[in-house]
Amino acid sequence: MNKKLITLCVSVLLSMTVSSQSNKFNIGITGGASLVSMRGDYLFEDEYKSLLSYSFGASFEYNFSKHFSLNSNFLFERKGEISIEKYEFGNNGQTIGEDYEQTNLDYLTLPLLAKYRFGDNIIFFLNAGPYVGYLLKGEYTTPNNLDLGGDLTNEMTRYDFGVSMGGGVTFPLKKSLALTLELRHNIGFANVNEGILGYTEYNTVSSNLFFGLTYQLGK
């Protein structure tokens, strides 16, 4: 192996070790409930509704100073929506029944958020930044009719991207351990549709309520 590459790797490891000893890094786990939906060219309020879902993963934070840091997560997120189909009868368009279809889109998501903290013992924070996502699987189900459903993975764009923003509070538990509560909203900008349901554009939207445990590396 090239000696210069070995020297570079050793230097990076040493710098990370020194940084962690000076409380530069926080690591942790996070997860919670999500409220997810989709927006598109042919979606109207009486045709769809939000879906209660979930997300979980790992958290990483690099502290530049007492007030500023760079925060990221490696998350599994289930996004999607519930589409409502109404059955009508007669010339007056009277609704005689309805069925619904649930769309589940499973993503690996990586946000990169600038974070501002304030407070002394209990710490409040605001954060915002971009995110990217990779679709693992897409499917639809019809809970009222167990015989119907199907795979949407190949009909969806694999990559998603957008912006995340939110805020929360951190409660210290021990010297290096803390509990975090965060509310985050994510708006997708990528058109994830590749021909499904006749929509010309289909974007993801989600709101997360995260509970997390973080550990501060170093003394």
Side-chain angles (χ1 to χ4, degrees):
M1 186 180 291
N2 192 298
K3 291 184 179 181
K4 291 184 179 180
L5 180 59
I6 295 176
T7 303
L8 178 61
C9 293
V10 171
S11 300
V12 171
L13 290 174
L14 287 175
S15 64
M16 290 179 64
T17 302
V18 172
S19 296
S20 65
Q21 290 176 350
S22 60
N23 294 337
K24 289 292 186 180
F25 286 97
N26 297 343
I27 60 173
I29 56 174
T30 189
S34 304
L35 190 65
V36 301
S37 62
M38 308 292 289
R39 56 189 176 90
D41 287 351
Y42 301 107
L43 291 178
F44 301 97
E45 290 185 357
D46 60 346
E47 293 183 347
Y48 79 100
K49 62 180 179 179
S50 299
L51 174 66
L52 185 62
S53 188
Y54 59 89
S55 57
F56 60 87
S59 63
F60 311 91
E61 187 172 4
Y62 180 82
N63 302 302
F64 294 102
S65 66
K66 178 181 178 181
H67 297 290
F68 294 97
S69 66
L70 191 63
N71 185 37
S72 184
N73 304 105
F74 188 68
L75 295 171
F76 174 88
E77 288 193 87
R78 170 159 285 185
K79 299 182 180 182
E81 65 160 3
I82 293 178
S83 302
I84 301 173
E85 182 179 356
K86 296 182 178 181
Y87 301 102
E88 298 180 351
F89 179 79
N91 296 328
N92 60 357
Q94 181 181 0
T95 300
I96 61 172
E98 64 181 30
D99 199 355
Y100 66 95
E101 178 180 288
Q102 180 173 316
T103 301
N104 298 321
L105 304 176
D106 295 338
Y107 285 93
L108 286 180
T109 305
L110 183 69
L112 189 61
L113 310 176
K115 187 174 182 179
Y116 175 71
R117 302 186 298 257
F118 54 97
D120 294 322
N121 188 27
I122 297 176
I123 306 298
F124 298 89
F125 63 87
L126 300 172
N127 55 25
Y131 78 84
V132 293
Y134 179 78
L135 180 67
L136 298 175
K137 183 179 180 180
E139 64 178 2
Y140 69 93
T141 61
T142 54
N144 289 348
N145 187 337
L146 299 180
D147 293 331
L148 296 179
D151 194 331
L152 291 175
T153 307
N154 294 327
E155 300 183 44
M156 308 293 291
T157 307
R158 284 287 186 170
Y159 294 96
D160 187 23
F161 64 87
V163 64
S164 299
M165 64 197 80
V169 59
T170 299
F171 303 93
L173 299 179
K174 293 183 178 181
K175 184 177 180 180
S176 299
L177 190 66
L179 174 67
T180 298
L181 176 64
E182 179 185 355
L183 183 61
R184 186 184 300 175
H185 186 61
N186 314 287
I187 302 174
F189 296 148
N191 180 12
V192 299
N193 173 38
E194 284 199 354
I196 64 169
L197 306 179
Y199 301 130
T200 58
E201 187 166 357
Y202 214 43
N203 308 110
T204 62
V205 181
S206 63
S207 296
N208 312 114
L209 178 60
F210 286 130
F211 296 89
L213 283 176
T214 60
Y215 180 79
Q216 189 176 63
L217 298 176
K219 299 180 181 179

